[in-house]
């Protein structure tokens, strides 16, 4: 029996082309296995092979005009390979890579009629954009979990290629799509709910059939009534730091923040400050640091008497991939420092 066929998509990093400095490279096509494509094929035990690998830089493919330009080539390369399934990633919590993987899978499924699957961390921004109609395997947050995540992607890819029935998210490992379907069960709903309750009361493992995800409610701060008497602080998650990143703030998955003195400054100069953020093209931010920390216009407001003053320090970190608890911890540190300094308001800019 002939082997099933898969086409695989990865970015410039996993293809071994380069990192952020190569994020603008265009589309390339390989018949040799690269990166996770090689690992996935080994998991199929000879049932399926990767016949083609598509590679593109994260910045390039996420630029709409450039993506539209390469779509005809993408279509031709995929259809000529006659794949049974299309696979992308996994992207973990890499935002641009996640969007690229999900966008490719969505296009291949929707326009070419080929089943597709990708994988990423549940907080990846691509999930909210594409999960409704696409299979996105739930992975670890970082690539350190590749050995745990890739087998799940490979397993669902093989089932899709075989045209086997795909079960619910909790069994197959993909993120819930929001679609619900009726199915028969050997036990009635009453029996199942009583079993669930007894397990809960007796501290035994249990899992609801209809999980409800909660969101933390954060009450808004009180309105500032008199801006003219209020000092304002500037905070950014866009990664603006003095050139050289003296405090070694991580470009992604940050665990610390920086605090930098602006006393006597009316502007933040190019070449003195730069953005080290690992989740977007930082060229424009480094060319004009005021895109992230708008000291220039805040000084104008200060001189016009519309605010009392600009706080002498700005705070910064890189808001990409940072988990919620670490974000809260950093936020508490900044807030406590500002309160001690008598600052009552702040402007927070992101990317």
């Amino acid at each position: 029996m002939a082997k099933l066929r898969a086409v695989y998509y990865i970015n410039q990093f996993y293809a071994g082309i380069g990192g952020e400095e190569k994020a603008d490279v265009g589309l390339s096509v390989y018949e040799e296995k690269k990166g996770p494509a090689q690992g996935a094929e080994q998991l199929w035990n000879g049932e399926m092979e990767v016949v083609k690998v598509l590679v593109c830089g994260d910045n390039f493919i996420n630029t709409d005009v450039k993506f539209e330009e390469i779509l005809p080539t993408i279509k031709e390369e995929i259809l000529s390979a006659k794949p049974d399934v299309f696979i992308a990633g996994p992207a973990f919590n890499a935002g641009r890579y996640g969007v690229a993987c999900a966008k490719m899978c969505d296009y291949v499924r929707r326009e070419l009629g080929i089943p597709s699957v990708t994988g990423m961390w549940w907080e990846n921004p691509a999930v909210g954009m594409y999960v409704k109609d696409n299979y996105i395997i739930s992975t670890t947050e970082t690539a350190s979990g590749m050995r745990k995540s890739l087998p799940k992607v490979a397993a669902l890819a093989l089932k899709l290629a075989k045209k086997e029935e795909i079960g619910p998210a909790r069994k197959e490992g993909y993120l819930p799509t929001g679609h619900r379907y009726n199915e028969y069960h050997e036990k009635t709903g009453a029996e199942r709910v009583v079993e669930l309750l007894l397990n809960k009361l007796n501290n035994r493992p249990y899992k609801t059939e209809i999980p409800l995800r909660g969101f933390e409610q954060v009450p808004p701060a009180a309105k500032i009534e008199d801006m003219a008497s209020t000092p304002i602080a500037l905070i950014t998650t866009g990664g603006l730091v003095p050139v050289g990143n003296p405090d070694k703030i991580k470009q992604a998955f940050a665990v610390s923040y920086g605090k930098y003195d602006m006393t006597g400054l009316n502007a933040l100069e190019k070449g003195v400050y730069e953005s080290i953020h690992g989740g977007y093209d930082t060229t424009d931010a480094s060319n004009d640091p005021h895109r992230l920390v708008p000291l220039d216009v805040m000084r104008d407001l200060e001189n016009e008497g519309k605010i009392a003053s600009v706080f002498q320090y700005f705070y910064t970190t890189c808001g990409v991939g940072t988990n919620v608890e670490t974000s809260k911890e950093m936020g508490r540190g900044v807030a406590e420092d500002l309160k001690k300094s008598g600052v009552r308001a702040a402007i927070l800019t992101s990317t």
Side-chain angles (χ1 to χ4, degrees), residues 162-174:
K162 290 181 174 180
K163 296 180 172 54
E164 295 180 355
E165 182 178 353
I166 305 301
R170 67 180 184 276
K171 293 182 179 179
E172 302 288 1
Y174 60 85

Side-chain angles (χ1 to χ4, degrees), residues 88 182 239 242:
N182 293 326

Side-chain angles (χ1 to χ4, degrees), residues 50-62:
V50 175
V51 296
K52 191 172 289 187
V53 176
L54 305 184
V55 177
C56 202
D58 285 335
N59 287 346
F60 188 97
I61 199 167
N62 281 303

Side-chain angles (χ1 to χ4, degrees), residues 16-339:
I17 296 173
E20 187 63 30
E21 77 282 359
K22 294 293 184 180
D24 292 305
V25 298
L27 179 69
S28 53
V29 182
Y30 301 88
E31 293 189 1
E32 62 180 295
K33 285 71 172 176
K34 287 181 173 289
Q38 186 175 14
E41 185 173 279
Q42 294 173 358
L43 295 167
W44 295 322
N45 297 319
E47 292 188 78
M48 184 160 65
E49 63 178 333
V50 175
V51 296
K52 191 172 289 187
V53 176
L54 305 184
V55 177
C56 202
D58 285 335
N59 287 346
F60 188 97
I61 199 167
N62 281 303
T63 302
D64 290 342
V65 173
K66 294 180 178 178
F67 180 62
E68 292 295 327
E69 289 176 354
I70 62 174
L71 268 183
T73 304
I74 290 173
K75 179 179 179 179
E76 180 181 351
E77 291 290 346
I78 293 174
L79 291 181
S80 66
K82 299 180 180 179
D84 298 286
V85 69
F86 180 85
I87 310 162
F92 304 102
N93 201 20
R96 285 172 299 162
Y97 188 28
V99 172
C101 288
K103 178 163 62 174
M104 285 288 289
C105 285
D106 184 69
Y107 168 77
V108 171
R109 172 197 58 79
R110 176 171 40 84
E111 298 296 332
L112 306 184
I114 299 169
S116 64
V117 60
T118 184
M120 62 194 71
W121 177 244
W122 67 273
E123 284 188 312
N124 193 301
V127 172
M129 298 166 64
Y130 290 100
V131 74
K132 181 181 177 182
D133 297 308
N134 295 282
Y135 289 121
I136 301 178
I137 289 290
S138 177
T139 72
T140 55
E141 186 172 4
T142 68
S144 63
M146 179 69 82
R147 291 188 177 182
K148 294 181 179 179
S149 303
L150 188 59
K152 295 192 294 181
V153 175
L156 186 56
L158 187 58
K159 290 191 72 171
L160 288 168
K162 290 181 174 180
K163 296 180 172 54
E164 295 180 355
E165 182 178 353
I166 305 301
R170 67 180 184 276
K171 293 182 179 179
E172 302 288 1
Y174 60 85
L175 293 166
T177 62
H179 299 289
R180 293 182 179 176
Y181 305 95
N182 293 326
E183 65 176 34
Y184 288 101
H185 198 281
E186 65 272 12
K187 295 181 180 179
T188 66
E191 291 174 307
R192 300 200 306 277
V193 75
V194 169
E195 284 184 354
L196 187 151
L197 178 60
L198 290 174
N199 287 335
K200 182 176 182 179
L201 293 175
N202 288 281
N203 295 317
R204 295 192 295 261
Y206 69 93
K207 190 172 184 179
T208 178
E209 295 178 9
I210 309 177
L212 299 178
R213 184 175 165 196
F215 294 91
E216 183 177 358
Q217 297 296 314
V218 180
K223 178 181 177 182
I224 301 296
E225 297 290 348
D226 183 11
M227 292 296 295
S229 63
T230 302
I232 307 293
L234 299 176
I235 309 169
T236 184
T237 59
L240 190 73
V241 296
V243 167
N245 190 16
D247 293 313
K248 307 303 179 187
I249 297 172
K250 295 173 68 176
Q251 292 179 295
F253 311 102
V255 294
S256 62
Y257 60 88
K259 176 183 177 182
Y260 301 109
D261 196 352
M262 300 184 294
T263 303
L265 298 180
N266 292 317
L268 301 179
E269 300 294 337
K270 172 185 175 181
V272 179
Y273 298 90
E274 64 179 345
S275 174
I276 51 127
H277 196 287
Y280 70 99
D281 184 345
T282 59
T283 303
D284 288 339
S286 295
N287 284 338
D288 184 2
H290 297 123
R291 293 178 184 273
L292 298 176
V293 180
L295 176 63
D296 52 351
V297 294
M298 295 302 291
R299 288 294 189 214
D300 290 342
L301 294 175
E302 182 181 37
N303 294 332
E304 294 169 8
K306 294 182 178 179
I307 61 172
S309 63
V310 180
F311 185 54
Q312 69 186 91
Y313 299 97
F314 77 86
Y315 298 83
T316 183
T317 191
C318 292
V320 53
T322 302
N323 66 55
V324 174
E325 289 307 314
T326 300
S327 298
K328 287 181 178 179
E329 182 179 350
M330 288 193 285
R332 282 191 291 267
V334 172
E336 289 172 5
D337 196 23
L338 291 177
K339 285 182 178 179

